[in-house]
Amino acid sequence: MKFVVKFFPEITIKSKSVRKQMTKILRANLRTLTRKRGISADVQDRWDSLVIEVNLLDNEDVVTVHRRMVQILSHTPGIGYALEIDEHPFESLDQAYQLVREANREQLEGKTFCVRIKRAGNHDFTSHDAEVYMGGGLLKETGATGVSLKNPDVVVHAELRNDKVQVVKQRIPGLGGFPLGSQGDILSLISGGFDSTVASYLLTRRGLKTHFCFFNLGGSAHEIGVKQVAHYLWSCYGESHRVKFVTIPFEAVVTEILAKVDNGHMGVVLKRMMMRAASRVADNLKLPALATGEAVAQVASQTISNLAIIDRAAEHMVLRPLAAMDKQDIIAIARRIGTETFAANMPEYCGVISVNPLTHGERSKTEAAEQAFDFAVLEDALQRSTYQRIDNVLEEIGSGLEDVMLLTTPALTDEIIDIRHPAEAADAPLELANNPVRLIPFYELESRLADLDTSGKQRYLLYCQKGTMSKIHAHHLNQQHQGLFGVFAEGS
């Protein structure tokens, strides 16, 4: 199993030294991710790409390894696209054509197509010559209906590199952006809604190691929900690096604002308190900047004048990647990256709602309104903050997980429930020969219990990528239906 990784175009136009450094980081990230997913792979550096050669171990399931590799290559920042290839010695243009024909014969049946060839080395033909030659042959010798250069049903890819023919089996779209860790660290203020999750994703995609800061306004249920979406973002797009999840209990701060601050200034004052607290966290973690999901004029506190007043309370640079985006564009990105349903199911915890909020505040008046606030309350919230590694946040949600039944080989009568987010399940479908697989996202398990046989006759095994989320939900479900739910740990 072999893959060629093509860099995001912005990387290729960097200076030689910067490009070399980014390539080095991307290579290290891919090595980390393959190791974490239990894949033995060699990642080799070429000037214009990386080559990943997967070493299949004895009795290793090829389908499982392939699924994990596609997940890695489609979700790692810095990759423009990746090609899964079969590599053969190059003998002649006709021999290369025959390899391409056999690899694409089935998918060309009844379809229009075009051929795209990349060539490097000394040959007695050009890339265009190769495309014309192979296109004519495929049209005559397969069931293709015709050639279409503008809107083909199928694009046939191949690369001729010196003495090698690389027949492309699959083109895997990449995430783009810069390699994670190449642009430093940042602290993202996350609430679990559309805006903050999309902002965190965009920062990660741009190569920033994104830590999470959560202000708890709604108790343990709110905290668990935000931890789940933050963990999802990290595990999908940033797992090559460890980051922190910081929780700051802000209920008392909200109470103090409601009691002491003039109604029109409440929203802006709350945001200023969050900026002060986040700056302290950033100092503790030695981070140079903060980020939020605010978009200009989306709500009253997000007018330009109010944002300027809010930023005065921060001691760090504040990035707002969504500043000029429309809400529908933000939701569309959330849908694409898999956080839309999280956000839609996240309760609103807006503890400070001004009846008549000021849309064009004045700094002096806002600072005067803050004078009544007891800053000892903010200090107490900071003292009670918790710092956790993001890879541990789900494990600490519940106890007793060690009692959950874990199986690598399900019985023939077991039904598997894939509880991954629908986008994640679509990217890497779970297909088993002997057991039915039912798709129920983890956030719908409780509401869809009525669809399951809870009489005790049927056993269900929950499945997710790493098993952590499955253990948590199986543990909670077993408290109501003892012994009915276990965990299917594929390939463990």
Side-chain angles (χ1 to χ4, degrees), residues 8-43:
F8 180 56
E10 282 190 49
I11 297 175
T12 64
I13 61 174
K14 299 294 183 184
S15 67
K16 184 176 181 180
S17 60
V18 172
R19 178 172 175 172
K20 184 177 181 180
Q21 179 64 15
M22 287 192 176
T23 301
K24 180 180 179 181
I25 293 172
L26 180 56
R27 183 184 182 191
N29 291 350
L30 288 169
R31 284 176 167 174
T32 299
L33 290 168
T34 53
R35 184 175 64 251
K36 282 191 169 186
R37 306 287 171 85
I39 300 170
S40 173
D42 299 321
V43 185

Side-chain angles (χ1 to χ4, degrees), residues 173-212:
L175 197 63
F178 294 135
L180 188 56
S182 65
Q183 307 303 313
D185 293 49
I186 198 166
L187 183 68
S188 180
L189 280 60
I190 187 168
S191 66
F194 292 105
D195 302 338
S196 63
T197 54
V198 170
S200 298
Y201 158 77
L202 291 175
L203 295 166
T204 300
R205 180 183 179 273
R206 199 63 181 171
L208 287 156
K209 186 177 169 185
T210 303
H211 304 261
F212 301 96

Side-chain angles (χ1 to χ4, degrees), residues 104-114 135-148 153-154 156:
N104 291 276
R105 183 190 294 276
E106 186 175 330
Q107 68 166 336
L108 289 176
E109 188 70 33
K111 304 288 182 61
T112 60
F113 74 98
C114 70
L138 292 172
L139 186 59
K140 291 179 181 178
E141 299 182 6
T142 70
T145 58
V147 174
S148 175
D153 297 322
V154 177
V156 175

